[in-house]
Amino acid sequence: MHHRTSRRTLLTATAATAVAAATGVVSVPGAAQASGTSTDSRLKRLIARMSLEEKVGQLFVMRVYGHSATAPDQADIDANLDEIGVRTAAELISTYHVGGIIYFTWAHNTRDPHQIADLSNGIQRAGLAQPTPVPLLVSTDQEHGIVCRVGEPATLLPGAMALGAGGSRSDTREAARIAGAELAALGINQNYAPDADVNVNPANPVIGVRSFGSDPQSVAGLVAAQVKGYQGAGVASTAKHFPGHGDTSTDSHTGLPSILHTRQEWAELDAPPFRAAVAAGIDSIMTAHIVVPALDPSEDPATLSRPILTGILREELGYDGVVVTDSLGMEGVRTKYGDERVPVLALQAGVDQLLNPPDLSVAWNAVLEAVRSGEITEARIEESILRILRLKSRLGLFRDPYVTHRGVDRTVGTREHLTAADRVAERTTTLLAHPGRLLPLSRRTHRDVLVVGADPASPSGTTGPPTTTLADAFRELGFTATALPTGTAPSQATIDQAVAAAAGRDAVVVATYNVTASSSQRTLVGALAATGVPVITLAIRNPYDIAHLADTGYAASLAAYSWTDVELRAAVRVIAGRARPKGRLPVPVQRADVPAQTLYPVGHGLSY
């Protein structure tokens, strides 16, 4: 059979030649990366060609506004000038020689797949146009579930706690493989996922359903599965947040949390998922802006702690990959030291990549001055640069950093991927309580459904609102359904409106969102149940809601673990009997009135 050379092959060959000519480095996927290899020798020669300014730049991963690397909208140019002092991503790269760019939805980096691919290519062209040409790591937080930067038409998958409820390592790995393949097609080559935190604190305001669960060994197995899924798809995976953010009641975005685990408790509870990630060959690990006195009595945040990052992560766990900070704009890392000291202290602690400082000029110049003054040796930053370049080489960026629209169309949001996401999601929905023996809901007896509840903003900006998504899913299955948003804190007037709308209906579904003891969401459920219409509650974030809904009179209560469309549609299929509830709680639910007692243990879940 005669095989014609494809345009993609020609593009790849041309790009590989250009990159090799520019950098002097040719990478081969899977090639040995250990110190002393021929690849290392080439990378060290590349480092030797860099100016000190270029070396310092390689350590930074920075945000930038705009959908294009060279021609963003005027509002994004203005934002870049205000925050960074440059107009565009290309100008950011030429000025500061940054080693990476992070994408955010709010920075207008992720409008649609072709635009994202073009932005990624523009960033890589800018990197290769530098005096010492180096491709960039393009990163984002695509955990799925409640943290998701790239939205539809890309495939959206269940988040970590939903996958924990599914309990399947193969499903978890497949979800990461799909997500990784789509990110790679968009030119995003480093994903800040999976979350390796063990969520043992129901009041945790920043992790919660981003964690696979509360059992260290279960979380470890699922973390390793995702590492293999992402990295098998050609994307660097990042386990976060070391040394473990699962037992905090403070959000490190707004404060500095402390974890009071003993050294032994840390080893048994927090460490296993990170050990599993290292054993699975994790490409990068993200630090946490938390204080763990048992690991470092100085009470410096872990991001700035040499005993934690070098002593434990590097030496005890034997990890020699890339260490990236959590965002340096978060309050947790800024509480104790000024913005000019934080990046220097992070490098001294053992960090390689400095993520998203609030003021890049301040941070970049602080590191430059620290090297010039001898506070940090040039050899020390070259260690980090070598790790970063090894990762870029392992990802094939020196061979070909570019992506194509054709590759996007072949990979992103394909029917195969969307079907797989639906199939995985069905196995995560958890039926927690079923006192009314109402489910599965029959169209013959309960055709007319009212959907009320919370409509939190879409994590990716492309899905929902949840009540509409739920109602649409019921209609697709042959029900009559009406959506009535009531919010996370419904007023009495809103509750009265929902009660009036429930009159004559066959069933009401209430989407609950982080219910508390004093929440008027609880009042809403009770008022609806008092009408005599069967009420089904569906927790669309934390599964702990049911603890605060005792005695409200619901007929059934389920957990979906997120409000993205794929999880909501799966929950409706379970409610309607198109799929059986197979999810099992990956965290315990404590009684609201007696928190020391467990209402539902890990592994609880009903079926029919």
Side-chain angles (χ1 to χ4, degrees):
M1 181 182 295
H2 177 66
H3 295 279
R4 296 176 59 190
T5 302
S6 70
R7 182 172 180 272
R8 171 63 178 169
T9 302
L10 290 171
L11 283 171
T12 300
T14 303
T17 301
V19 174
T23 65
V25 179
V26 179
S27 64
V28 179
Q33 300 295 323
S35 180
T37 65
S38 59
T39 298
D40 266 13
S41 297
R42 289 192 292 268
L43 296 175
K44 288 176 180 177
R45 287 197 296 271
L46 178 61
I47 294 170
R49 291 166 51 192
M50 294 180 183
S51 67
L52 179 58
E53 289 80 4
E54 288 174 320
K55 290 177 182 177
V56 169
Q58 279 297 305
L59 305 172
F60 284 92
V61 181
M62 189 60 184
R63 69 190 179 278
V64 66
Y65 290 87
H67 70 287
S68 164
T70 55
D73 295 338
Q74 186 60 48
D76 292 323
I77 291 174
D78 294 343
N80 285 328
L81 287 170
D82 181 57
E83 292 187 19
I84 314 171
V86 299
R87 295 169 57 84
T88 66
E91 192 175 322
L92 166 66
I93 294 163
S94 67
T95 302
Y96 289 101
H97 319 292
V98 294
I101 298 285
I102 180 173
Y103 287 173
F104 290 104
T105 309
W106 51 259
H108 310 138
N109 304 140
T110 57
R111 288 182 180 176
D112 65 75
H114 284 180
Q115 168 268 316
I116 297 170
D118 290 342
L119 173 60
S120 299
N121 286 341
I123 285 168
Q124 298 298 358
R125 280 192 293 272
L128 296 182
Q130 296 184 89
T132 307
V134 183
L136 279 83
L137 286 168
V138 178
S139 60
T140 198
D141 293 283
Q142 190 78 349
E143 297 175 18
H144 289 274
I146 72 167
V147 175
C148 205
R149 312 301 189 205
V150 179
E152 293 181 344
T155 305
L156 299 180
L157 294 128
M161 192 169 286
L163 292 169
S168 167
R169 293 186 185 182
S170 61
D171 278 356
T172 301
R173 182 171 182 170
E174 176 70 355
R177 184 197 66 78
I178 291 169
E182 297 199 6
L183 289 175
L186 299 170
I188 299 172
N189 43 55
Q190 184 176 22
N191 190 18
Y192 297 138
D195 192 302
D197 301 311
V198 180
N199 198 76
V200 295
N201 188 342
N204 196 322
V206 66
I207 304 302
V209 293
R210 298 169 62 192
S211 163
F212 289 107
S214 63
D215 178 73
Q217 298 309 317
S218 296
V219 172
L222 297 177
V223 164
Q226 289 234 301
V227 170
K228 292 173 182 174
Y230 283 122
Q231 295 183 183
V235 168
S237 180
T238 309
K240 60 189 188 185
H241 308 78
F242 189 82
H245 210 315
D247 193 11
T248 59
S249 55
T250 300
D251 185 343
S252 51
H253 291 84
T254 57
L256 178 58
S258 290
I259 290 187
L260 302 180
H261 294 175
T262 66
R263 187 69 161 76
Q264 184 63 29
E265 287 171 335
W266 173 83
E268 294 175 356
L269 190 66
D270 302 290
F274 293 101
R275 291 186 184 278
V278 172
I282 187 79
D283 279 327
S284 49
I285 289 177
M286 179 178 285
T287 68
H289 305 326
I290 58 173
V291 167
V292 189
L295 304 185
D296 182 354
S298 76
E299 299 198 8
D300 280 343
T303 297
L304 310 181
S305 168
R306 186 171 178 82
I308 292 174
L309 298 187
T310 297
I312 296 176
L313 181 57
R314 295 287 192 207
E315 296 170 1
E316 182 179 322
L317 270 61
Y319 177 66
D320 193 37
V322 170
V323 174
V324 56
T325 70
D326 205 343
S327 171
L328 297 183
M330 293 166 61
E331 194 60 33
V333 78
R334 303 173 75 188
T335 299
K336 193 171 179 180
Y337 302 99
D339 289 340
E340 74 286 350
R341 291 302 300 159
V342 165
V344 174
L345 294 172
L347 291 169
Q348 290 176 331
V351 157
D352 301 306
Q353 287 185 307
L354 301 161
L355 177 62
N356 201 28
D359 188 321
L360 178 59
S361 177
V362 167
W364 189 84
N365 281 296
V367 174
L368 194 64
E369 178 56 32
V371 177
R372 285 175 173 162
S373 70
E375 184 181 6
I376 298 176
T377 66
E378 200 160 346
R380 163 64 192 91
I381 67 168
E382 287 178 357
E383 290 176 13
S384 288
I385 297 166
L386 181 58
R387 290 191 188 101
I388 294 164
L389 295 186
R390 280 179 187 157
L391 178 53
K392 292 180 179 184
S393 177
R394 189 156 61 246
L395 293 170
L397 298 179
F398 288 106
R399 178 172 47 85
D400 178 14
Y402 299 113
V403 293
T404 66
H405 285 192
R406 184 181 176 192
V408 169
D409 294 339
R410 279 200 312 258
T411 308
V412 177
T414 64
R415 175 50 49 194
E416 178 187 3
H417 286 177
L418 294 171
T419 299
D422 283 338
R423 187 174 62 246
V424 170
E426 280 181 357
R427 294 193 277 264
T428 68
T429 304
T430 307
L431 178 59
L432 297 174
H434 195 197
R437 297 290 177 249
L438 176 69
L439 305 182
L441 208 61
S442 169
R443 286 178 299 171
R444 292 189 299 274
T445 58
H446 295 83
R447 177 180 292 271
D448 192 355
V449 179
L450 174 67
V451 179
V452 304
D455 272 343
S458 167
S460 65
T462 63
T463 64
T467 56
T468 299
T469 298
L470 291 165
D472 287 345
F474 275 112
R475 283 192 289 269
E476 288 172 11
L477 297 181
F479 291 81
T480 300
T482 303
L484 176 64
T486 51
T488 57
S491 65
Q492 187 58 53
T494 300
I495 293 171
D496 292 343
Q497 182 185 12
V499 168
R505 308 281 183 172
D506 297 320
V508 181
V509 174
V510 184
T512 65
Y513 183 96
N514 292 4
V515 180
T516 63
S518 60
S519 172
S520 56
Q521 292 180 72
R522 172 183 163 81
T523 308
L524 171 68
V525 173
L528 288 167
T531 67
V533 178
V535 173
I536 302 162
T537 68
L538 176 67
I540 62 173
R541 185 166 179 168
N542 291 327
Y544 311 114
D545 287 3
I546 191 172
H548 298 285
L549 297 175
D551 304 322
T552 55
Y554 59 76
S557 186
L558 303 93
Y561 306 99
S562 180
W563 60 96
T564 53
D565 290 8
V566 67
E567 286 155 304
L568 298 179
R569 289 195 307 264
V572 169
R573 290 195 298 277
V574 167
I575 291 169
R578 300 299 177 91
R580 292 184 179 276
K582 296 181 179 178
R584 299 291 181 267
L585 274 176
V587 293
V589 174
Q590 311 298 333
R591 287 182 52 168
D593 55 344
V594 188
Q597 295 182 13
T598 299
L599 180 63
Y600 297 113
V602 170
H604 171 79
L606 307 177
S607 191
Y608 42 77

